[in-house]
Each structure stands twice: as C-alpha cells, then as structure tokens.
Tab-separated table of all heavy atoms in Angstrom:
chain	number	residue	atom	x	y	z
A	1	LYS	N	83.361	109.753	97.442
A	1	LYS	CA	82.572	109.747	98.686
A	1	LYS	C	82.535	111.108	99.371
A	1	LYS	O	81.871	111.262	100.399
A	1	LYS	CB	83.164	108.708	99.646
A	1	LYS	CG	83.113	107.286	99.138
A	1	LYS	CD	83.694	106.299	100.142
A	1	LYS	CE	85.201	106.465	100.285
A	1	LYS	NZ	85.794	105.432	101.187
A	2	ALA	N	83.236	112.087	98.828
A	2	ALA	CA	83.451	113.348	99.539
A	2	ALA	C	82.258	114.289	99.442
A	2	ALA	O	81.504	114.283	98.473
A	2	ALA	CB	84.691	114.044	98.990
A	3	GLN	N	82.124	115.122	100.474
A	3	GLN	CA	81.155	116.207	100.468
A	3	GLN	C	81.819	117.522	100.090
A	3	GLN	O	81.199	118.390	99.488
A	3	GLN	CB	80.505	116.339	101.852
A	3	GLN	CG	79.325	117.283	101.929
A	3	GLN	CD	78.092	116.767	101.190
A	3	GLN	OE1	78.059	115.614	100.768
A	3	GLN	NE2	77.085	117.619	101.023
A	4	HIS	N	83.099	117.664	100.438
A	4	HIS	CA	83.860	118.882	100.165
A	4	HIS	C	85.174	118.526	99.475
A	4	HIS	O	85.891	117.627	99.922
A	4	HIS	CB	84.180	119.635	101.462
A	4	HIS	CG	82.973	120.055	102.239
A	4	HIS	ND1	82.994	120.204	103.600
A	4	HIS	CD2	81.717	120.368	101.826
A	4	HIS	CE1	81.800	120.590	104.006
A	4	HIS	NE2	81.003	120.690	102.946
A	5	ILE	N	85.491	119.235	98.395
A	5	ILE	CA	86.717	118.988	97.628
A	5	ILE	C	87.565	120.249	97.588
A	5	ILE	O	87.068	121.349	97.301
A	5	ILE	CB	86.388	118.564	96.178
A	5	ILE	CG1	85.713	117.203	96.157
A	5	ILE	CG2	87.650	118.554	95.302
A	5	ILE	CD1	86.593	116.047	96.574
A	6	ALA	N	88.859	120.090	97.858
A	6	ALA	CA	89.842	121.149	97.634
A	6	ALA	C	90.518	120.866	96.303
A	6	ALA	O	91.314	119.927	96.192
A	6	ALA	CB	90.868	121.186	98.767
A	7	ASN	N	90.158	121.632	95.287
A	7	ASN	CA	90.699	121.389	93.946
A	7	ASN	C	92.181	121.770	93.904
A	7	ASN	O	92.568	122.826	94.404
A	7	ASN	CB	89.919	122.228	92.930
A	7	ASN	CG	89.798	121.566	91.589
A	7	ASN	OD1	89.252	120.469	91.474
A	7	ASN	ND2	90.297	122.224	90.554
A	8	PRO	N	93.044	120.945	93.306
A	8	PRO	CA	94.481	121.241	93.303
A	8	PRO	C	94.834	122.501	92.522
A	8	PRO	O	94.099	122.937	91.635
A	8	PRO	CB	95.084	120.003	92.632
A	8	PRO	CG	94.093	118.925	92.856
A	8	PRO	CD	92.757	119.602	92.782
A	9	GLY	N	95.997	123.063	92.828
A	9	GLY	CA	96.514	124.200	92.086
A	9	GLY	C	97.026	123.778	90.714
A	9	GLY	O	97.280	122.604	90.454
A	10	CYS	N	97.199	124.761	89.834
A	10	CYS	CA	97.582	124.459	88.451
A	10	CYS	C	99.019	123.949	88.354
A	10	CYS	O	99.270	122.878	87.788
A	10	CYS	CB	97.355	125.678	87.562
A	10	CYS	SG	98.111	127.207	88.153
A	11	PHE	N	99.992	124.713	88.892
A	11	PHE	CA	101.373	124.226	88.905
A	11	PHE	C	101.457	122.902	89.658
A	11	PHE	O	102.162	121.973	89.251
A	11	PHE	CB	102.298	125.241	89.574
A	11	PHE	CG	102.898	126.268	88.656
A	11	PHE	CD1	102.920	127.609	89.013
A	11	PHE	CD2	103.473	125.906	87.447
A	11	PHE	CE1	103.479	128.557	88.166
A	11	PHE	CE2	104.044	126.842	86.609
A	11	PHE	CZ	104.047	128.171	86.975
A	12	ALA	N	100.738	122.829	90.783
A	12	ALA	CA	100.790	121.618	91.603
A	12	ALA	C	100.327	120.401	90.821
A	12	ALA	O	100.941	119.335	90.886
A	12	ALA	CB	99.937	121.806	92.853
A	13	THR	N	99.236	120.543	90.060
A	13	THR	CA	98.732	119.427	89.266
A	13	THR	C	99.775	118.965	88.255
A	13	THR	O	100.102	117.774	88.162
A	13	THR	CB	97.442	119.826	88.539
A	13	THR	OG1	96.419	120.096	89.507
A	13	THR	CG2	96.973	118.723	87.612
A	14	CYS	N	100.309	119.901	87.489
A	14	CYS	CA	101.257	119.555	86.430
A	14	CYS	C	102.517	118.903	86.996
A	14	CYS	O	102.998	117.892	86.473
A	14	CYS	CB	101.608	120.821	85.646
A	14	CYS	SG	102.451	120.507	84.073
A	15	ILE	N	103.039	119.446	88.079
A	15	ILE	CA	104.282	118.932	88.652
A	15	ILE	C	104.058	117.604	89.364
A	15	ILE	O	104.870	116.667	89.252
A	15	ILE	CB	104.899	119.979	89.590
A	15	ILE	CG1	105.322	121.214	88.778
A	15	ILE	CG2	106.086	119.411	90.353
A	15	ILE	CD1	105.664	122.426	89.621
A	16	GLN	N	102.954	117.487	90.090
A	16	GLN	CA	102.664	116.217	90.750
A	16	GLN	C	102.530	115.078	89.737
A	16	GLN	O	103.040	113.970	89.963
A	16	GLN	CB	101.362	116.326	91.547
A	16	GLN	CG	101.499	117.124	92.833
A	16	GLN	CD	100.171	117.280	93.539
A	16	GLN	OE1	99.837	116.487	94.405
A	16	GLN	NE2	99.406	118.286	93.167
A	17	LEU	N	101.854	115.352	88.635
A	17	LEU	CA	101.653	114.297	87.649
A	17	LEU	C	102.969	113.883	87.001
A	17	LEU	O	103.102	112.755	86.516
A	17	LEU	CB	100.635	114.745	86.602
A	17	LEU	CG	99.210	114.948	87.162
A	17	LEU	CD1	98.280	115.463	86.074
A	17	LEU	CD2	98.669	113.678	87.797
A	18	ALA	N	103.962	114.777	87.020
A	18	ALA	CA	105.304	114.417	86.556
A	18	ALA	C	106.051	113.564	87.576
A	18	ALA	O	106.835	112.682	87.199
A	18	ALA	CB	106.104	115.681	86.248
A	19	LEU	N	105.802	113.791	88.862
A	19	LEU	CA	106.623	113.187	89.914
A	19	LEU	C	106.002	111.980	90.601
A	19	LEU	O	106.725	111.115	91.124
A	19	LEU	CB	106.949	114.234	90.982
A	19	LEU	CG	107.754	115.458	90.543
A	19	LEU	CD1	107.967	116.400	91.727
A	19	LEU	CD2	109.097	115.046	89.952
A	20	LEU	N	104.687	111.881	90.647
A	20	LEU	CA	104.056	110.852	91.476
A	20	LEU	C	104.357	109.414	91.042
A	20	LEU	O	104.526	108.548	91.912
A	20	LEU	CB	102.548	111.088	91.551
A	20	LEU	CG	102.148	112.308	92.393
A	20	LEU	CD1	100.648	112.533	92.330
A	20	LEU	CD2	102.610	112.159	93.841
A	21	PRO	N	104.455	109.109	89.731
A	21	PRO	CA	104.862	107.738	89.397
A	21	PRO	C	106.254	107.401	89.930
A	21	PRO	O	106.495	106.269	90.371
A	21	PRO	CB	104.832	107.734	87.862
A	21	PRO	CG	103.842	108.801	87.506
A	21	PRO	CD	104.062	109.879	88.528
A	22	ALA	N	107.160	108.373	89.894
A	22	ALA	CA	108.494	108.151	90.459
A	22	ALA	C	108.409	107.953	91.968
A	22	ALA	O	109.137	107.128	92.543
A	22	ALA	CB	109.412	109.325	90.119
A	23	ALA	N	107.507	108.700	92.621
A	23	ALA	CA	107.307	108.520	94.061
A	23	ALA	C	106.788	107.117	94.361
A	23	ALA	O	107.199	106.484	95.344
A	23	ALA	CB	106.331	109.575	94.580
A	24	ALA	N	105.883	106.619	93.520
A	24	ALA	CA	105.347	105.270	93.722
A	24	ALA	C	106.435	104.210	93.606
A	24	ALA	O	106.321	103.124	94.198
A	24	ALA	CB	104.231	105.004	92.715
A	25	MET	N	107.499	104.519	92.843
A	25	MET	CA	108.641	103.598	92.713
A	25	MET	C	109.738	103.918	93.714
A	25	MET	O	110.832	103.351	93.655
A	25	MET	CB	109.194	103.665	91.273
A	25	MET	CG	108.258	103.084	90.235
A	25	MET	SD	108.928	103.175	88.532
A	25	MET	CE	108.447	104.845	88.070
A	26	HIS	N	109.472	104.858	94.641
A	26	HIS	CA	110.407	105.254	95.700
A	26	HIS	C	111.730	105.758	95.126
A	26	HIS	O	112.808	105.469	95.647
A	26	HIS	CB	110.649	104.085	96.657
A	26	HIS	CG	109.402	103.620	97.352
A	26	HIS	ND1	108.905	104.223	98.481
A	26	HIS	CD2	108.535	102.618	97.046
A	26	HIS	CE1	107.795	103.612	98.858
A	26	HIS	NE2	107.541	102.632	97.993
A	27	LEU	N	111.635	106.568	94.077
A	27	LEU	CA	112.829	107.109	93.424
A	27	LEU	C	113.184	108.506	93.901
A	27	LEU	O	114.242	109.021	93.545
A	27	LEU	CB	112.615	107.146	91.900
A	27	LEU	CG	112.287	105.827	91.206
A	27	LEU	CD1	112.151	106.054	89.704
A	27	LEU	CD2	113.353	104.778	91.501
A	28	LEU	N	112.319	109.140	94.684
A	28	LEU	CA	112.532	110.552	95.044
A	28	LEU	C	113.246	110.656	96.390
A	28	LEU	O	112.673	111.051	97.412
A	28	LEU	CB	111.186	111.294	95.075
A	28	LEU	CG	110.358	111.221	93.792
A	28	LEU	CD1	109.093	112.065	93.927
A	28	LEU	CD2	111.173	111.655	92.585
A	29	ASP	N	114.522	110.322	96.386
A	29	ASP	CA	115.303	110.393	97.620
A	29	ASP	C	116.418	111.429	97.540
A	29	ASP	O	117.205	111.573	98.477
A	29	ASP	CB	115.888	109.025	97.968
A	29	ASP	CG	116.732	108.438	96.844
A	29	ASP	OD1	116.829	109.071	95.762
A	29	ASP	OD2	117.306	107.344	97.033
A	30	LYS	N	116.496	112.145	96.423
A	30	LYS	CA	117.479	113.222	96.260
A	30	LYS	C	116.756	114.489	95.816
A	30	LYS	O	115.605	114.441	95.382
A	30	LYS	CB	118.543	112.832	95.234
A	30	LYS	CG	119.382	111.611	95.624
A	30	LYS	CD	120.417	111.305	94.552
A	30	LYS	CE	121.304	110.140	94.966
A	30	LYS	NZ	120.541	108.879	95.083
A	31	ASP	N	117.438	115.625	95.937
A	31	ASP	CA	116.825	116.896	95.555
A	31	ASP	C	116.374	116.867	94.103
A	31	ASP	O	117.039	116.280	93.232
A	31	ASP	CB	117.805	118.051	95.769
A	31	ASP	CG	118.121	118.287	97.237
A	31	ASP	OD1	117.496	117.636	98.093
A	31	ASP	OD2	118.990	119.134	97.533
C-alpha cells in the first residue's frame, strides 16, 4: 500500500532474517 519505501541495509537484512523468527518466539532477552 506504500507510496514511499525505505529499502533495508545489506547487513541489516541478513542479520534481521537470522534473528526475527527468534524474536517472534520471544527468545531475545539476553545479549
């Protein structure tokens, strides 16, 4: 639905895709 998109950064994309499923399971509570 967007008119303007901020495309993600390269490191950010790779690292987020590693971490976001764990975030969805609420596992990211430690460093």
Side-chain angles (χ1 to χ4, degrees):
K1 297 181 291 184
Q3 189 69 10
H4 300 152
I5 293 292
N7 213 59
C10 52
F11 270 135
T13 295
C14 194
I15 295 167
Q16 285 176 93
L17 294 177
L19 298 179
L20 289 176
M25 291 180 276
H26 299 277
L27 302 182
L28 304 183
D29 56 357
K30 297 180 177 65
D31 293 354

